[in-house]
């Protein structure tokens, strides 16, 4: 059977009365519908993208705008208006001209630091103390008799006596106790004018230091504490066994005697200086 006989003629109408359009290629309507749908879809997408971009740009422009004077953003200047009588603040009432809106650069600008004053120079350090510092000079002392507690050693006319001290005699009865000139473990005594107490012919006198070895020995006395509380006696360095004692209120260097009178006359107390 031939191909022409198997197909019905194209110019004859169908049973429904509709005859196919033979002037265009089959499927053209579908292509137009698909193209229109695609174009509508693209148009909707472009419109949505445009709307979203415009909204994003508007949000960015709002965020980029500087804060107003009523804003409390950190780093900006804050201005508070004086409240009105009704409790509602009226802008611009408390000043003739409103202050300009600060720019973002003004709110974030860091003030330049003021030049600092030069720090004061530290005080000069004190000199390093020596390894063996000298002992400080002792304060003034006075020497009181034990058996005559109202009498003290006093220099009078170059001699040392045991006297009652008046108002104008305090300086003569005040001495300085220093390390012994002949033995540093013992004592030497100086007067206010720099003389030393020394024994000469076994009598206690005040003389200037002549630098001799004999003078250093005569002016050195070693303390010996006896049984009586708070008292001592002074023994000569160059005449061991001889102690300072008063006799007839004159200070002398006498040999030791085991007697109550000797103990009393040779016992003294070192007290604060009268002068």
């Amino acid at each position: 059977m031939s191909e022409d006989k198997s197909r019905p003629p194209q110019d004859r109408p169908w049973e429904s009365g509709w005859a196919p359009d033979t002037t265009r290629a089959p499927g053209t309507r579908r292509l137009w519908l698909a193209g229109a749908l695609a174009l509508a879809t693209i148009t909707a997408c472009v419109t949505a993208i445009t709307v979203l971009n415009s909204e994003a740009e508007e949000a960015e422009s709002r965020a980029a705008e500087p804060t107003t004077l009523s804003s409390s953003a950190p780093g900006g200047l804050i201005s508070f208006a004086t409240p009105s009588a009704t409790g509602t603040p009226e802008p611009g009432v408390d000043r003739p001209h409103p202050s300009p809106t600060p720019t973002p650069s003004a709110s974030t600008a860091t003030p330049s630091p003021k030049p600092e004053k030069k720090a004061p120079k530290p005080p000069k350090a004190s000199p390093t103390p020596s390894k063996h510092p000298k002992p400080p000079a002792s304060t003034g002392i006075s020497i009181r008799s034990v058996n005559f507690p109202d009498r003290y050693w006093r220099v009078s006319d170059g001699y040392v006596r045991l006297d009652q001290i008046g108002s104008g005699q305090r300086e003569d009865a005040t001495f300085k106790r220093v390390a012994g000139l002949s033995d540093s473990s013992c004592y030497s005594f100086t007067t206010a004018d720099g003389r030393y107490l020394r024994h000469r012919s076994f009598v206690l006198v005040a003389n200037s230091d002549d630098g001799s070895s004999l003078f250093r020995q005569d002016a050195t006395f070693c303390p010996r504490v006896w049984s009586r509380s708070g008292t001592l006696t002074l023994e000569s360095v160059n005449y061991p066994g001889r102690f300072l004692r008063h006799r007839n209120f004159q200070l002398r260097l006498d040999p030791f005697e085991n007697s109550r009178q000797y103990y009393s006359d040779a016992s003294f107390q070192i007290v604060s200086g009268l002068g």
Side-chain angles (χ1 to χ4, degrees):
M1 184 181 291
S2 62
E3 186 177 356
D4 296 335
K5 294 181 179 180
S6 60
R7 294 187 301 173
Q10 300 295 324
D11 53 352
R12 295 180 182 179
W14 291 358
E15 289 81 357
S16 59
W18 179 82
D21 188 5
T22 60
T23 60
R24 56 182 179 87
T28 304
R29 185 183 299 274
R30 295 179 181 178
L31 290 176
W32 277 104
L33 291 175
L37 181 60
L39 182 61
T41 303
I42 293 173
T43 304
C45 291
V46 171
T47 303
I49 293 173
T50 303
V51 172
L52 291 177
N53 288 338
S54 63
E55 291 180 356
E57 291 177 358
E58 184 179 358
E60 290 179 358
S61 62
R62 290 180 181 178
E65 290 181 359
T67 57
T68 59
L69 292 179
S70 61
S71 174
S72 59
L77 300 177
I78 302 174
S79 176
F80 298 95
T82 304
S84 61
T86 59
T88 303
E90 297 181 3
V93 175
D94 58 339
R95 54 182 181 269
H97 301 286
S99 59
T101 303
T103 60
S105 60
S107 62
T108 58
T110 303
S112 59
K114 296 181 180 180
E116 298 180 356
K117 296 182 180 180
K118 294 183 178 179
K121 295 183 179 180
K124 294 183 179 180
S126 57
T128 305
S130 60
K131 294 182 179 179
H132 303 286
K134 296 181 180 180
S138 59
T139 57
I141 62 167
S142 292
I143 304 174
R144 181 172 60 189
S145 172
V146 169
N147 54 351
F148 290 93
D150 60 338
R151 291 178 178 264
Y152 297 82
W153 288 15
R154 172 176 171 262
V155 177
S156 177
D157 296 330
Y159 292 91
V160 182
R161 294 180 50 84
L162 199 64
D163 288 344
Q164 293 177 337
I165 306 303
S167 59
Q169 301 172 342
R170 293 180 177 274
E171 186 176 2
D172 296 335
T174 302
F175 310 94
K176 282 188 177 180
R177 179 178 57 185
V178 297
L181 297 179
S182 180
D183 186 348
S184 60
S185 64
C186 299
Y187 297 155
S188 290
F189 301 94
T190 62
T191 61
D193 57 4
R195 292 180 293 172
Y196 284 86
L197 302 186
R198 64 171 292 191
H199 66 84
R200 188 175 60 188
S201 300
F202 304 116
V203 176
L204 193 62
V205 297
N207 283 162
S208 298
D209 186 5
D210 59 8
S212 64
S213 175
L214 178 62
F215 184 93
R216 291 194 296 270
Q217 294 180 7
D218 289 347
T220 303
F221 304 93
C222 295
R224 302 290 184 255
V225 179
W226 287 352
S227 60
R228 187 173 303 208
S229 176
T231 65
L232 56 84
T233 189
L234 298 168
E235 183 179 15
S236 172
V237 166
N238 52 351
Y239 285 93
R242 284 180 176 263
F243 297 83
L244 288 175
R245 66 170 292 188
H246 66 84
R247 187 167 60 185
N248 296 327
F249 302 119
Q250 180 75 46
L251 270 298
R252 301 176 54 86
L253 196 63
D254 282 355
F256 173 74
E257 296 177 6
N258 190 11
S259 65
R260 183 181 298 272
Q261 185 66 43
Y262 187 91
Y263 279 112
S264 298
D265 292 345
S267 297
F268 304 97
Q269 287 181 326
I270 295 179
V271 298
S272 299
L274 299 177

